[in-house]
Amino acid sequence: MDRRDLFLAGALGAAVATPALIGVPAWASGEDRDNGPMRDHDRGRPLVVGHRGASGYRPEHTLASYELAARMGADFIEPDLVSTRDGVLVARHENEISGTTDVAARPEFASRRVAKTIDGVTVTGWFTEDFTLAELKTLRAVERLPAVRQRSTVYNGLFEVPTFTEVLQLRERLSKELRREIGVYPETKHPTYFQNVGLPLERPLVAALRREGLDRRDAPVFVQSFEAANLRELRSAHRVKAPLVFLAGAGNPFNDPRSYAEYLSPAGLSGLADVVNGIGPDKGLVIPRAADGSLAAPTSLIADAHREGLQVHPYTFRAENQFLPVNLRNGAVPTEYGRILDELAAYLAAGVDGFFTDNPDLGVLARALHRS
């Protein structure tokens, strides 16, 4: 039995017994504005997005993590995209890879450790843009949060850094094997930075989607970015037809005078609706936490976004106590599982159209419980 066989055995053992069955995909309905984005959608079945795959159980952004997410019932798998020195898109959470690969233990690459300024922040480490694809393929993925997810460290050293093309090929294979459409939800990471170093992400991203027949309005695709300018460029300059999602958190997008709060105001959402199909807000922008750390009442963000025909896919739902509201924790051990199903129930009741989770099996279960 080779490593792939071993992985599949583990994946099947961990998968949900009754994976989600897709009828009419939530991304496939709706009418178009003049510029093409969907304006309506089926809100009856919220989407489960495997955040970096099934990153609660396998090292993130590996084919193993993505495959496990799909087998657990996720509707979408989510690769974050950065570039190699030779212009190939690969899946890593950041272009700095000391926490997600074994590069720090590779003496042949010791001299590549440098300090760079990424989106105004100085970062020291090893960066994908300083490696060719062939060099990156010699590295192996490791668990990024070993103190939180010690069990995932069992898989350290087993998996390569995948290319975006490999992720798309996996998506196609699993869609056929599982007999349901598996979507892909790529994020452009630091697009302004990569443009400034002569390795723009947009062109190879669009080329890859078109090569696979995925640049269409009803494609099982959402392209996401924290930079509104990047999404506008994809829609206008590159004529992308696939759905786009604007991610939002605290502060401002890089090199943008408008804050995320302004973008998510009713007026800001109206402007976004000319370009994007949905928003991916930090979950605290949908249901904030009270002063004591428990969940408060939902904001008006979902209603405001739906008024503009925008889907709402908040991030990120994780099972460990340390990521949960204080009233939904089980015991005092930060790494033990808490009441993630109760947290997800609150967001599903509030009307989200989908959500990002490190635990796709629990996301599928929460959705089933909500509908029952």
Side-chain angles (χ1 to χ4, degrees):
M1 182 179 285
D2 62 19
R3 284 181 173 179
R4 173 175 165 75
D5 293 329
L6 286 168
F7 162 70
L8 288 177
L12 289 168
V16 176
T18 54
L21 298 176
I22 290 183
V24 177
W27 60 84
S29 59
E31 299 176 355
D32 298 331
R33 262 191 177 184
D34 291 341
N35 63 351
M38 298 176 297
R39 296 295 299 159
D40 195 8
H41 49 272
D42 173 11
R43 298 192 184 108
R45 188 177 184 281
L47 301 172
V48 176
V49 182
H51 184 240
R52 309 173 194 170
S55 54
Y57 311 111
R58 300 290 187 272
E60 66 189 32
H61 293 309
T62 59
L63 294 182
S65 182
Y66 300 136
E67 181 160 358
L68 181 56
R71 292 185 182 280
M72 286 181 159
D75 303 301
F76 281 76
I77 53 177
E78 188 229 7
D80 295 340
L81 301 180
V82 294
S83 181
T84 66
R85 189 171 70 194
D86 41 352
V88 179
L89 296 184
V90 295
R92 288 292 87 188
H93 175 49
E94 294 287 346
N95 54 325
E96 200 288 298
I97 55 173
S98 62
T100 59
T101 73
D102 60 357
V103 66
R106 297 297 187 93
E108 66 270 30
F109 298 128
S111 63
R112 307 243 185 130
R113 186 173 186 269
V114 296
K116 297 188 179 190
T117 300
I118 312 294
D119 293 357
V121 178
T122 300
V123 180
T124 299
W126 289 262
F127 298 84
T128 58
E129 65 270 23
D130 295 331
F131 291 77
T132 65
L133 177 62
E135 290 172 328
L136 275 180
K137 283 293 190 180
T138 69
L139 303 178
R140 292 296 178 267
V142 300
E143 170 56 45
R144 187 175 62 89
L145 301 173
V148 179
R149 293 166 175 166
Q150 190 274 333
R151 291 182 179 180
S152 290
T153 64
V154 169
Y155 303 97
N156 285 355
L158 295 184
F159 309 125
E160 294 182 354
V161 174
T163 66
F164 185 42
T165 296
E166 290 170 335
V167 176
L168 293 178
Q169 291 170 344
L170 176 69
R171 183 210 77 84
E172 182 177 12
R173 176 175 67 79
L174 289 175
S175 294
K176 293 176 181 176
E177 181 181 338
L178 300 176
R179 300 175 66 184
R180 63 184 181 88
E181 192 86 87
I182 305 299
V184 64
Y185 210 129
E187 179 185 348
T188 56
K189 299 293 292 194
H190 310 298
T192 297
Y193 168 81
F194 276 106
Q195 281 200 0
N196 290 339
V197 298
L199 293 167
L201 306 176
E202 295 80 8
R203 191 175 300 279
L205 167 61
V206 174
L209 291 177
R210 289 176 177 161
R211 191 165 55 244
E212 300 295 327
L214 293 173
D215 183 25
R216 60 181 200 273
R217 290 175 178 86
D218 64 344
V221 172
F222 288 101
V223 178
Q224 56 178 329
S225 179
F226 277 100
E227 296 186 22
N230 175 232
L231 295 169
R232 286 193 292 268
E233 179 183 347
L234 285 168
R235 188 69 81 197
S236 58
H238 294 275
R239 303 294 181 185
V240 169
K241 296 178 181 178
L244 304 180
V245 169
F246 178 59
L247 300 172
N252 293 46
F254 177 68
N255 203 30
D256 189 332
R258 297 184 68 187
S259 68
Y260 287 116
E262 290 178 83
Y263 278 111
L264 297 188
S265 69
L269 290 168
S270 180
L272 281 174
D274 290 326
V275 179
V276 306
N277 306 89
I279 57 172
D282 180 285
K283 63 183 181 180
L285 298 173
V286 175
I287 305 181
R289 298 201 182 174
D292 64 358
S294 62
L295 281 183
T299 68
S300 66
L301 181 57
I302 293 176
D304 294 341
H306 284 173
R307 194 174 301 116
E308 299 298 332
L310 296 171
Q311 297 194 38
V312 181
H313 302 163
Y315 66 89
T316 301
F317 294 88
R318 298 175 166 108
E320 292 87 0
N321 277 327
Q322 64 195 77
F323 301 119
L324 290 165
V326 294
N327 60 317
L328 298 181
R329 297 173 185 173
N330 285 328
V333 180
T335 58
E336 293 294 326
Y337 277 15
R339 291 159 53 196
I340 182 177
L341 296 178
D342 290 336
E343 182 187 34
L344 281 167
Y347 282 82
L348 290 166
V352 299
D353 304 289
F355 52 89
F356 294 79
T357 177
D358 290 4
N359 308 90
D361 54 340
L362 300 179
V364 170
L365 176 58
R367 179 176 62 188
L369 292 171
H370 176 70
R371 299 179 70 195
S372 63

